[in-house]
Amino acid sequence: MPRIVGQIDQAKSQAILDAAAEVLGTGGLSAPMDEIARRACVSKQTIYNHYGSKAELIRAIVDRRVEQIAAPLMAPGAQEHPQEALAGFGRVMLELVLRPLGRSMLKMTVQAADDMPDLARAFYEAGPQTSRRRLAEFLRQETLAGRLAVDDPDQAADFFAGMVIGVRQISGLLGVEQTATPEAIEQVAQEAARRFMRAYGVD
Amino acid sequence: MPRIVGQIDQAKSQAILDAAAEVLGTGGLSAPMDEIARRACVSKQTIYNHYGSKAELIRAIVDRRVEQIAAPLMAPGAQEHPQEALAGFGRVMLELVLRPLGRSMLKMTVQAADDMPDLARAFYEAGPQTSRRRLAEFLRQETLAGRLAVDDPDQAADFFAGMVIGVRQISGLLGVEQTATPEAIEQVAQEAARRFMRAYGVD
DNA sequence: GGAAAAATGGACTCCAGGGTCCAGACCATT
DNA sequence: AATGGTCTGGACCCTGGAGTCCATTTTTCC
């Protein structure tokens, strides 16, 4: 309720968000505010000055993520060979999903989904939905250009995204350790793109 | 701690588990024990007689699910045409993931993963991992039999599972509504199988 | 029918954690 | 140097919910 407009420290706001994302992401949503304060080297009161409640703090974290998330998810460019474009897109998705920040962000949002359905939906639209949309659009263009033969671009996009991500997303949510070397990421993206081309190539 | 061996009502144990799965699944892990008791038409004390604590109750729920889960996940039979077998396998996976019980179970386990990593791992192994293993084994056999050309069965199995499940699992976790008619399930399974055959068929 | 165990329900304890308050320190700006 | 704002840290209040207790009733088994 108390709208803050005074001489508030903007950099401190970010530090708090960072700390909160870190703590809530690893320890779960039930991690205490005191720990966030400690981690941010800030008094608890200050957190309540910047964000009015724990719920709003969580909102702010997810909101910020929602802003960042769509940026790297640009549709593949039509100038390169479609297989290369797909592989590139796949690599970006994989990194988004596998990077610690991405993993903990998703976990947080899932945990919050019960109490803040709108938040979860915003996250969903910014992440999973946007990525599929952009990819589907690319597939549509390539099909028009005669370089692919995709009859249902939305479904095909979901197929490709599913191949790339595979079991990794949910194993991440379940906290099962997995090695994700850059080489492994590259290999998966490449192979998925290759197989996708066979499945949807022009004859 | 208090091991129960007396004349305890076995059917009541199940009723409690059912109610708990329902309540914790929809309301989240933070749903109060009193509500579970009410839903199970049982006094709170009784729950503590059967299971010693909330944590153990959750364990019991997941354990039971772990038992059930592997059963329908038999590897496709080699007698039918591989495409049909794949479609059938895909259908089973989809239903496992989309059915309300499956969704709430996964959500529960994800929420519990922070505090009970072993539990989450058991769930992972019984579900996602087992399904991929069985499917991979099938692909290996079919390749040996010359009906498919799969070089990396584990990866291919993950690809197929990813195609079938797609965005649905995480949209379920995020509480985004989605229509999952039997026809839609069937269509996705069929189409995924068809495309997979093109991607991995013998020339 | 009677004894042992289990179930009931409702009151009770206890505590972690969200949120508040306050007194003093620390800036800015005027 | 004075005023209006923020920051600190630590004590503090308060609530929800886990878990316990208990007197009474019901069930089960001999």
Side-chain angles (χ1 to χ4, degrees):
Chain A
M1 205 80 56
R3 213 110 283 279
I4 291 98
V5 280
Q7 30 187 277
I8 240 177
D9 189 342
Q10 200 61 17
K12 196 155 289 191
S13 282
Q14 293 303 314
I16 292 175
L17 276 195
D18 290 339
E22 168 76 20
V23 170
L24 296 177
T26 65
L29 269 199
S30 58
M33 291 293 270
D34 302 75
E35 195 182 329
I36 298 175
R38 218 175 316 124
R39 168 68 76 117
C41 299
V42 140
S43 110
K44 191 161 59 152
Q45 183 61 45
T46 301
I47 298 185
Y48 282 91
N49 283 351
H50 287 240
Y51 313 91
S53 70
K54 192 175 193 178
E56 286 188 45
L57 176 58
I58 293 170
R59 282 215 130 68
I61 297 173
V62 177
D63 282 349
R64 185 176 65 162
R65 176 68 176 174
V66 162
E67 298 300 324
Q68 305 171 335
I69 211 174
L73 277 177
M74 65 253 194
Q79 58 284 2
E80 22 183 357
H81 188 287
Q83 181 170 331
E84 283 311 309
L86 281 171
F89 193 80
R91 200 182 315 115
V92 171
M93 286 193 70
L94 263 179
E95 277 166 1
L96 228 37
V97 165
L98 291 179
R99 227 179 264 303
L101 180 64
R103 289 178 38 163
S104 62
M105 234 34 217
L106 176 60
K107 207 179 68 180
M108 252 192 56
T109 313
V110 168
Q111 288 178 333
D114 286 323
D115 300 312
M116 318 184 183
D118 54 323
L119 196 66
R121 160 158 242 114
F123 185 86
Y124 170 76
E125 288 172 357
Q129 190 173 86
T130 296
S131 63
R132 267 77 171 173
R133 286 255 175 86
R134 301 228 172 125
L135 181 51
E137 185 51 32
F138 169 74
L139 297 179
R140 200 170 281 121
Q141 296 301 337
E142 290 296 299
T143 297
L144 282 180
R147 286 189 289 271
L148 280 178
V150 178
D151 54 344
D152 184 340
D154 294 318
Q155 182 170 66
D158 198 35
F159 280 174
F160 182 73
M163 290 173 73
V164 167
I165 292 177
V167 83
R168 292 170 199 86
Q169 192 159 46
I170 108 146
S171 69
L173 282 174
L174 290 173
V176 177
E177 281 316 315
Q178 50 184 349
T179 52
T181 68
E183 299 81 46
I185 290 181
E186 185 61 32
Q187 195 275 329
V188 170
Q190 289 289 350
E191 180 68 4
R194 242 189 64 206
R195 295 296 177 175
F196 187 89
M197 289 303 290
R198 283 192 59 172
Y200 285 96
V202 295
D203 290 314
Chain B
M1 206 95 47
R3 211 109 287 272
I4 291 97
V5 282
Q7 29 184 278
I8 240 176
D9 189 343
Q10 201 62 18
K12 196 156 291 191
S13 282
Q14 293 303 314
I16 293 174
L17 276 196
D18 291 338
E22 168 75 20
V23 171
L24 296 177
T26 66
L29 269 199
S30 58
M33 291 293 268
D34 301 75
E35 193 181 332
I36 297 175
R38 220 176 314 126
R39 168 67 76 114
C41 299
V42 140
S43 106
K44 190 163 58 154
Q45 182 61 45
T46 301
I47 298 184
Y48 282 92
N49 284 349
H50 287 240
Y51 313 89
S53 68
K54 191 174 192 177
E56 285 187 45
L57 176 58
I58 292 170
R59 283 215 128 70
I61 297 173
V62 177
D63 282 349
R64 185 175 66 161
R65 177 68 176 175
V66 162
E67 298 299 324
Q68 305 170 335
I69 211 174
L73 279 175
M74 66 252 196
Q79 59 282 3
E80 21 183 2
H81 188 288
Q83 182 172 328
E84 283 310 308
L86 281 171
F89 193 81
R91 201 182 317 114
V92 171
M93 286 192 70
L94 263 180
E95 276 165 2
L96 228 38
V97 164
L98 291 180
R99 229 178 261 303
L101 180 65
R103 289 177 37 163
S104 60
M105 229 42 210
L106 177 60
K107 207 179 67 179
M108 252 192 57
T109 314
V110 168
Q111 287 178 333
D114 286 322
D115 300 312
M116 318 186 184
D118 54 324
L119 197 65
R121 161 158 241 113
F123 186 86
Y124 170 74
E125 289 172 355
Q129 190 173 85
T130 296
S131 63
R132 267 76 172 175
R133 286 255 175 86
R134 301 226 172 126
L135 182 52
E137 185 50 33
F138 169 74
L139 297 178
R140 202 171 281 117
Q141 296 300 338
E142 290 295 301
T143 297
L144 282 180
R147 285 189 289 271
L148 281 177
V150 177
D151 54 344
D152 184 340
D154 293 318
Q155 182 169 67
D158 198 35
F159 280 175
F160 183 72
M163 290 172 74
V164 168
I165 292 177
V167 83
R168 293 170 198 84
Q169 192 158 46
I170 109 146
S171 68
L173 282 174
L174 291 174
V176 177
E177 282 315 316
Q178 51 186 347
T179 52
T181 70
E183 300 80 47
I185 291 181
E186 185 61 32
Q187 195 275 329
V188 169
Q190 289 289 351
E191 181 67 5
R194 241 188 64 206
R195 295 295 176 175
F196 186 89
M197 289 302 291
R198 283 193 60 172
Y200 285 97
V202 296
D203 290 314

